[in-house]
Amino acid sequence: MRRLSRIIVFVLLFTAIGFAQSPHGSALTIDCASCHTTSDWNSIPDEIPFNHNDATNFQLDGAHQWVDCSSCHQSLIFEEAQDNCLSCHLDVHEQSVGANCTRCHTSDNWLVFNTVELHQGIGFPLEGNHRGLSCVECHESGNTLDYSPIGTDCSSCHMDDYQATSNPNHSAAGFSTDCLECHSLETTGWNLASLNHDFFPLEKGHNTRNCTLCHDLNNYSNVSSECISCHQQDFNSASDPNHLASNFPNDCASCHTIDPGWAPATFNHDFFPLTSGHDIQDCAACHTNNQFEGTSSECVSCHLDNFNATVNPNHSNAGYTQNCAVCHSTNPGWAPASVNHDFFPLTLGHEIQDCTACHTNGSYANTSSDCVSCHQNDYEATLEPNHSESGFPTDCASCHSTNPGWAPATVNHDFFPLTLGHDIQDCTACHTNGTYSGTDPNCVSCHQNDYDGTLDPNHSEVGFSNDCASCHTTNPGWAPASINHDFFPLTLGHDIQDCTACHTNGTYSGTDPNCFSCHQDDYNSTNDPNHSAAAFPTDCVLCHTTNPGWQPTTFDHDNQYFPIYSGEHRGEWNSCTDCHTNASDYSVFTCTTCHTKNETDGEHDEVSGYVYESNACFTCHPNPD
């Protein structure tokens, strides 16, 4: 037994010494037998249970799966091996693309197949002709693997091309060094086929490859895009019609396309449509003396003779407007002609074909549209009722339609709706003495006797308004009657049908809406707490709703007086008497019960005017949050 104990102690001691002297560092804590045999330390099994992917932060994928451990772990302390690429791999790019090899390479091999995609993220996409270039064609240096950033402007690579250009000489002509302004990436070479002239399309008559026809070889940048800059001679020599003499605009595109030979040519005459009788191909018919600019668009400028010669009716004598389009279309012969009489519709009784029935003496201008101008005799002869004596308006349309015979006639009484109890067909019931104008629309003008005779309640004695509509509808018998009490809502505990409960002595006007005017006895008799002794406010709604029994009741101590349910005093008190030591007067409070003099004096030793007194505390600390 003693010998066995010695063996156990020896094994434990050896084990402790073995772990302490591990050549692989303190981070590797696996059992030595996982990698070594008991014969010697250099004999390592072909299959090792150590899983590099699970046990470390470095995944052995791609070519890393077949690398000998010692290639990365060059010392026996495995934790000293670094996981950055440059710790094992020489930077052949000389820091020109950064230290992270995985931006471009995978762990399978060093070949890069996505150069185009990689370029997308660096601000210079490989598009068009740039897509097929080898890296060294742009990245020129002593080291063909040095990819230090180069400029993204065209001139960074193509300045020699720019300087060597002679047809035209780009430098002398002041051309932009941004090749893309004129050349396309999608075409090969710098020939004219790749010229981007979209700012001024070279098509049809402008389809020329001879730049000198428009451009001065010494300066390409100052060419105007205005038509006249190239076509002044064409403009000056045009004779059919003579553009110069006729003051035509020198913007050729306003009439011409860019087709060779200026044909076909069109003129946008939409400002004065050439339709029907105006469909004239001979411009000189309207534009006399070969003068086009300033030609008037007024009808009378061409048709004054037609206007003066018209006798059926005589346009001139009748004062017709000289704007022919008011009545005529542009059809040849002026037919059909129609008078737009929408300002005074000729309907029903006004549907008269004889213009002279209204337009007397052959006068059309200034004919009055007032009813009485034609119907004064009808107005004065009407006896039922007598329109003249009753002061009816002379605007017949206010009651009559334009039907022949004036029937049916209706009075628009919307200013005083004749509904319910006012639905009276006998006009004289309200319009006494046959007088209609000036009839008073106020209720009391007809219902003074009803007002004076009402006893429940007595409207006159209690000073009710004599505007019956403020409480009554127009139903016969005045029922149902309702009073708009919105100025003091009769809800919950105020839902009282007996008016005298609040309006004592039969008095309604001047009743005080303040709570205390009705609830002084309730206020004085309240003991829990005693409202009067505690000097509570007499505005009951500050704490109570209008529910019967005054419940539920709320008291907003935080906002009305002092925060005790929030801030530093929250949870620091148990009952009201902790601060209100005088149960008979809640206006009295104390701070000094909790805030002792020694503590408070020490906190205010540098405060000017400090007094250890409760009211003084509240004066300076009304909200101690």
Side-chain angles (χ1 to χ4, degrees):
M1 180 64 73
R2 184 178 301 168
R3 182 178 179 183
L4 178 59
S5 299
R6 291 175 182 172
I7 294 173
I8 293 174
V9 171
F10 176 77
V11 170
L12 292 175
L13 180 60
F14 177 79
T15 302
I17 294 173
F19 277 117
Q21 295 179 349
S22 171
H24 301 304
S26 59
L28 188 65
T29 59
I30 65 173
D31 187 1
C32 301
S34 298
C35 300
H36 298 281
T37 65
T38 57
S39 60
D40 61 72
W41 295 107
N42 296 322
S43 298
I44 300 175
D46 293 335
E47 296 295 332
I48 299 176
F50 178 72
N51 190 326
H52 202 285
N53 290 346
D54 293 340
T56 72
N57 294 324
F58 192 88
Q59 302 292 308
L60 295 181
D61 52 14
H64 289 142
Q65 299 179 69
W66 320 114
V67 175
D68 185 71
C69 301
S70 62
S71 296
C72 297
H73 299 282
Q74 296 182 3
S75 74
L76 290 178
I77 301 177
F78 295 156
E79 62 191 84
E80 291 180 351
Q82 301 181 31
D83 59 0
N84 61 78
C85 303
L86 296 185
S87 65
C88 288
H89 300 290
L90 176 65
D91 182 9
V92 296
H93 302 301
E94 298 180 354
Q95 287 292 307
S96 61
V97 291
N100 185 8
C101 303
T102 59
R103 289 178 55 202
C104 304
H105 302 282
T106 68
S107 60
D108 293 322
N109 54 59
W110 296 105
L111 299 179
V112 178
F113 300 100
N114 60 338
T115 306
V116 173
E117 289 76 8
L118 290 172
H119 252 267
Q120 290 292 120
I122 64 170
F124 192 87
L126 297 179
E127 299 175 345
N129 288 325
H130 290 145
R131 184 181 291 270
L133 298 178
S134 65
C135 303
V136 295
E137 290 186 68
C138 295
H139 297 280
E140 299 175 343
S141 67
N143 178 5
T144 58
L145 295 177
D146 182 356
Y147 299 137
S148 296
I150 60 176
T152 58
D153 296 332
C154 302
S155 58
S156 299
C157 286
H158 297 292
M159 182 54 78
D160 290 343
D161 300 295
Y162 177 89
Q163 298 288 0
T165 303
S166 58
N167 186 25
N169 188 312
H170 288 28
S171 179
F175 277 13
S176 169
T177 56
D178 183 3
C179 308
L180 290 177
E181 289 187 8
C182 300
H183 298 280
S184 171
L185 286 173
E186 303 299 332
T187 58
T188 304
W190 303 99
N191 55 42
L192 290 176
S194 69
L195 185 64
N196 181 2
H197 214 281
D198 289 347
F199 58 91
F200 191 94
L202 299 179
E203 56 188 16
K204 296 185 177 180
H206 290 145
N207 187 15
T208 178
R209 295 302 174 184
N210 185 0
C211 303
T212 60
L213 291 178
C214 299
H215 296 279
D216 178 356
L217 285 178
N218 294 321
N219 194 334
Y220 279 75
S221 62
N222 65 352
V223 175
S224 171
S225 61
E226 300 292 331
C227 303
I228 199 68
S229 65
C230 284
H231 297 293
Q232 182 71 60
Q233 291 182 358
D234 299 292
F235 181 85
N236 293 342
S237 61
S239 58
D240 186 21
N242 189 311
H243 289 27
L244 190 62
S246 301
N247 286 323
F248 274 13
N250 52 25
D251 179 12
C252 310
S254 61
C255 299
H256 298 277
T257 66
I258 58 173
D259 288 328
W262 306 103
T266 59
F267 186 65
N268 186 350
H269 217 283
D270 289 347
F271 61 91
F272 191 95
L274 301 180
T275 59
S276 301
H278 289 146
D279 187 9
I280 302 169
Q281 300 302 316
D282 181 12
C283 302
C286 296
H287 300 284
T288 57
N289 300 320
N290 201 29
Q291 181 67 36
F292 289 81
E293 186 179 31
T295 301
S296 173
S297 61
E298 300 293 330
C299 303
V300 75
S301 65
C302 284
H303 298 294
L304 183 56
D305 291 343
N306 303 98
F307 179 87
N308 291 333
T310 303
V311 294
N312 185 29
N314 190 309
H315 287 27
S316 181
N317 290 344
Y320 276 13
T321 176
Q322 293 179 339
N323 182 9
C324 310
V326 171
C327 300
H328 298 278
S329 68
T330 59
N331 286 327
W334 307 102
S338 61
V339 177
N340 184 349
H341 219 283
D342 290 346
F343 60 92
F344 191 96
L346 301 179
T347 58
L348 302 174
H350 289 144
E351 190 176 5
I352 303 169
Q353 299 302 315
D354 181 12
C355 302
T356 60
C358 295
H359 299 284
T360 56
N361 302 319
S363 177
Y364 290 81
N366 300 320
T367 301
S368 174
S369 60
D370 294 335
C371 302
V372 75
S373 65
C374 284
H375 298 293
Q376 182 71 50
N377 292 336
D378 301 293
Y379 176 87
E380 293 177 351
T382 303
L383 302 174
E384 189 183 352
N386 189 309
H387 287 27
S388 180
E389 290 184 1
S390 301
F392 275 14
T394 56
D395 179 11
C396 310
S398 61
C399 298
H400 298 277
S401 68
T402 59
N403 285 324
W406 308 102
T410 58
V411 177
N412 184 350
H413 218 283
D414 289 347
F415 60 91
F416 192 96
L418 300 179
T419 58
L420 302 174
H422 289 145
D423 187 9
I424 302 169
Q425 300 303 313
D426 180 10
C427 303
T428 60
C430 296
H431 299 285
T432 56
N433 302 321
T435 301
Y436 290 82
S437 62
T439 301
D440 190 349
N442 292 316
C443 303
V444 75
S445 65
C446 283
H447 297 294
Q448 183 70 56
N449 292 336
D450 300 293
Y451 178 89
D452 293 338
T454 302
L455 302 174
D456 185 23
N458 190 310
H459 289 26
S460 180
E461 288 185 2
V462 299
F464 274 11
S465 168
N466 55 21
D467 179 10
C468 310
S470 61
C471 300
H472 298 278
T473 67
T474 59
N475 283 324
W478 308 102
S482 61
I483 186 168
N484 185 349
H485 216 283
D486 289 347
F487 59 90
F488 191 95
L490 301 179
T491 58
L492 303 174
H494 289 144
D495 187 10
I496 303 170
Q497 300 302 314
D498 180 12
C499 304
T500 59
C502 296
H503 300 284
T504 56
N505 302 321
T507 300
Y508 290 81
S509 61
T511 301
D512 189 349
N514 292 316
C515 306
F516 201 64
S517 63
C518 282
H519 297 294
Q520 184 172 356
D521 291 342
D522 299 294
Y523 178 89
N524 291 335
S525 62
T526 302
N527 296 318
D528 185 22
N530 190 311
H531 288 27
S532 177
F536 276 12
T538 57
D539 185 3
C540 308
V541 297
L542 292 178
C543 302
H544 299 280
T545 67
T546 60
N547 283 325
W550 309 101
Q551 299 294 330
T553 303
T554 59
F555 186 62
D556 191 358
H557 199 290
D558 281 23
N559 291 317
Q560 288 182 243
Y561 298 99
F562 188 80
I564 61 173
Y565 296 100
S566 62
E568 295 182 356
H569 288 86
R570 180 181 179 181
E572 298 296 329
W573 57 278
N574 296 311
S575 66
C576 303
T577 57
D578 287 355
C579 297
H580 298 283
T581 55
N582 185 350
S584 300
D585 187 355
Y586 272 63
S587 64
V588 177
F589 61 89
T590 178
C591 301
T592 58
T593 302
C594 296
H595 300 283
T596 63
K597 189 174 190 306
N598 289 338
E599 173 194 0
T600 307
D601 288 350
E603 293 176 350
H604 293 75
D605 55 359
E606 295 182 0
V607 178
S608 176
Y610 161 71
V611 178
Y612 181 67
E613 192 271 325
S614 296
N615 286 312
C617 297
F618 182 71
T619 301
C620 292
H621 305 284
N623 189 354
D625 291 342

